[in-house]
Amino acid sequence: MTERVATTTGLLPLPDPAKEELSDLKGHQKGDLISGTESEEIASAYAEYRREVIDDQQAAGLDRITEGQLRWDDMLAHPLTTHENVDPNGIVRYYDNNNFYRDPQVRGDLDFSGDVAEELETASETIDDPAASLQAVLPGPYSLFDLATDEHYGDDAEFFGAIADFLAGEVEAFPAHKTLTLHEPSLVENPPNEDLVERLADAVDTVASETDSDVVVHTYFGALDETTYAHLMDADVEALGFDLVAGDREDTLSNITEFGTKDAAALGIADGQNTLVESADTLNERVEWFEDQIPVQEFDRLYLSTNTEPFYLPVNKHLAKLEAIAAAAGNVDQEVTA
C-alpha cells in the first residue's frame, strides 16, 4: 500500500506581524536584505517566527516539517546571496511572476558557507524528533546555476560543477534530517542546453550523496521536456516532484510513460500561488487521478504538497492549504478542512 506523506515545499509566507517588525529592523533598501551578517536583534526576531511556522506545520498535521526559509529574501538564490564571495548586485525577476531577487554575482571560489546548516540546527531544537520529520530544503544545482551570474569561473560546465560541489558541502554540514528537497523549477522554465543536460544527473548526485536521508528533486511551473526528464531520471534520488496543478500535466504523464519514474513521487497538488483553498476531497482526487494514469506502478511513497513555494500566499490561506494536504494524506479528519 502506498504511503502518503503530507509535507510542504518550504519557503513559507512570513507571519503577518513579522513583515512590519522585520522591515523596521532591517530597513527598506536593497542593501538591507539578508546577507548572513544580520544583527542579533534581527536573528532573534527570525528565530521567534521560525518557531511559529514550525508549530503551525506540526499543528496542521504534516509528516515532514521545514525550517520555513523565512530569511530567504532572495528565494532560491539565498544560499549564494549570503556567501562572502558573492556580490548580490542588481534586481532580477524571479521566474515568471512579480517577485524579484538580487542577482548573485559569483566573484570568487564557492567554498563552504554553513548559513543553511545553522538555520536547520536552530530548527532542530524546535521540531519534534527532527531525525524522523525534519525536511531540509535547498535549490537544486541547476536552478541555482541558472539564477546566478558567473564572474569568476569563466566556463558554464565548471561553474555548474562548482555550484553542485558548494551545495554538497552545505548538505554535509546539515543536522540529522529525514528528507532533503531540492527545488528545480529552472529545469522547466529554462531547460539546460545539450552540454549541461549531460551533466545534470551527476550534479544532482553530487549533492544527494552527502546525505543519508531521502532526496526529492521537486520540479514545478509545468512539465519537463523529454530530454531533461530522461537525464534527470538517471539521478540516484528517491523521488521526482511533479506539478499537478499546471495545465500541461498530461506532458508529465507522457514522460513517465516513456521513461518511467522512481519508486516514490512528490506531487504538487495544491496551488502555491492561488489563494483559492482546495478542499481535501479535491486534493485527494488529484492524487487518485495521478495513480489511475499509471496503473502498472504502485508507488512506495507519495509526498503531497503545494506545487510551488507558497510564500506568495496570505498566511491564513497557506495554513488552510496545509490542513487540506494533511487531510488528503489521511492525517486529519477531512471535515476539519471543509
Side-chain angles (χ1 to χ4, degrees):
M1 183 175 178
T2 301
E3 176 191 9
R4 292 189 180 186
V5 177
T7 186
T8 172
T9 60
L11 285 88
L12 309 184
L14 272 170
D16 293 330
K19 296 174 183 177
E20 183 175 352
E21 179 181 357
L22 289 166
S23 180
D24 290 342
L25 287 173
K26 290 160 59 180
H28 305 275
Q29 303 302 315
K30 182 186 72 170
D32 297 322
L33 298 177
I34 289 295
S35 65
T37 58
E38 55 265 30
S39 69
E40 183 61 36
E41 190 176 14
I42 292 173
S44 177
Y46 273 111
E48 174 187 347
Y49 292 114
R50 180 183 296 117
R51 287 190 293 270
E52 181 176 329
V53 298
I54 288 173
D55 289 346
D56 286 342
Q57 292 171 79
Q58 293 180 146
L62 299 190
D63 298 295
R64 300 288 187 272
I65 310 299
T66 70
E67 176 270 331
Q69 295 72 49
L70 303 181
R71 293 175 59 247
W72 292 26
D73 287 341
D74 298 292
M75 289 76 80
L76 291 180
H78 171 86
L80 286 183
T81 55
T82 53
H83 194 286
E84 63 180 1
N85 290 333
V86 175
D87 179 15
N89 190 16
I91 297 295
V92 184
R93 183 179 295 276
Y94 186 68
Y95 298 111
D96 188 20
N97 59 57
N98 291 325
N99 292 277
F100 297 84
Y101 70 100
R102 294 173 296 174
D103 178 18
Q105 299 177 1
V106 177
R107 301 188 183 278
D109 288 346
L110 290 175
D111 49 14
F112 178 70
S113 165
D115 181 90
V116 178
E118 290 181 13
E119 292 179 329
L120 291 173
E121 289 283 2
T122 304
S124 294
E125 299 169 3
T126 303
I127 293 174
D128 298 335
D129 194 5
S133 59
L134 176 61
Q135 178 172 298
V137 173
L138 279 175
Y142 181 73
S143 291
L144 191 56
F145 162 87
D146 182 50
L147 293 172
T149 299
D150 175 28
E151 300 287 354
H152 174 68
Y153 292 94
D155 176 81
D156 278 354
E158 185 179 354
F159 186 40
F160 189 27
I163 292 283
D165 289 340
F166 162 68
L167 290 173
E170 301 305 294
V171 171
E172 186 179 14
F174 284 0
H177 54 286
K178 182 64 174 175
T179 309
L180 169 63
T181 295
L182 300 176
H183 285 244
E184 283 287 14
S186 288
L187 291 177
V188 175
E189 288 286 284
N190 185 29
N193 61 28
E194 274 187 31
D195 180 42
L196 294 182
V197 79
E198 295 285 345
R199 303 170 186 271
L200 177 59
D202 285 345
V204 171
D205 286 348
T206 295
V207 183
S209 65
E210 295 301 328
T211 179
D212 294 328
S213 75
D214 299 326
V215 178
V216 177
V217 179
H218 189 54
T219 65
Y220 45 97
F221 297 139
L224 296 169
D225 65 58
E226 289 186 356
T227 300
T228 302
Y229 184 85
H231 282 86
L232 187 59
M233 271 296 294
D234 290 335
D236 186 16
V237 297
E238 192 205 19
L240 305 183
F242 305 116
D243 184 347
L244 297 191
V245 177
D248 61 353
R249 53 188 173 272
E250 294 287 348
D251 292 340
T252 291
L253 292 177
S254 177
N255 284 334
I256 294 172
T257 301
E258 179 72 20
F259 302 105
T261 191
K262 305 294 185 180
D263 292 334
L267 306 182
I269 56 173
D271 195 329
Q273 296 179 291
N274 192 314
T275 57
L276 174 67
V277 178
E278 305 93 332
S279 70
D281 285 341
T282 296
L283 300 185
N284 185 57
E285 288 170 3
R286 289 174 181 171
V287 177
E288 292 180 345
W289 173 85
F290 179 79
E291 293 177 310
D292 289 345
Q293 304 306 306
I294 316 170
V296 297
Q297 178 165 348
E298 181 175 346
F299 292 93
D300 295 337
R301 184 176 298 111
L302 292 176
Y303 296 91
L304 310 183
S305 71
T306 55
N307 60 331
T308 70
E309 324 102 310
F311 68 82
Y312 313 91
L313 298 173
V315 170
N316 64 328
K317 299 292 186 180
H318 172 242
L319 293 179
K321 285 176 183 271
L322 293 187
E323 292 169 357
I325 289 168
N331 294 353
V332 298
D333 189 339
Q334 293 197 16
E335 292 182 3
V336 172
T337 67

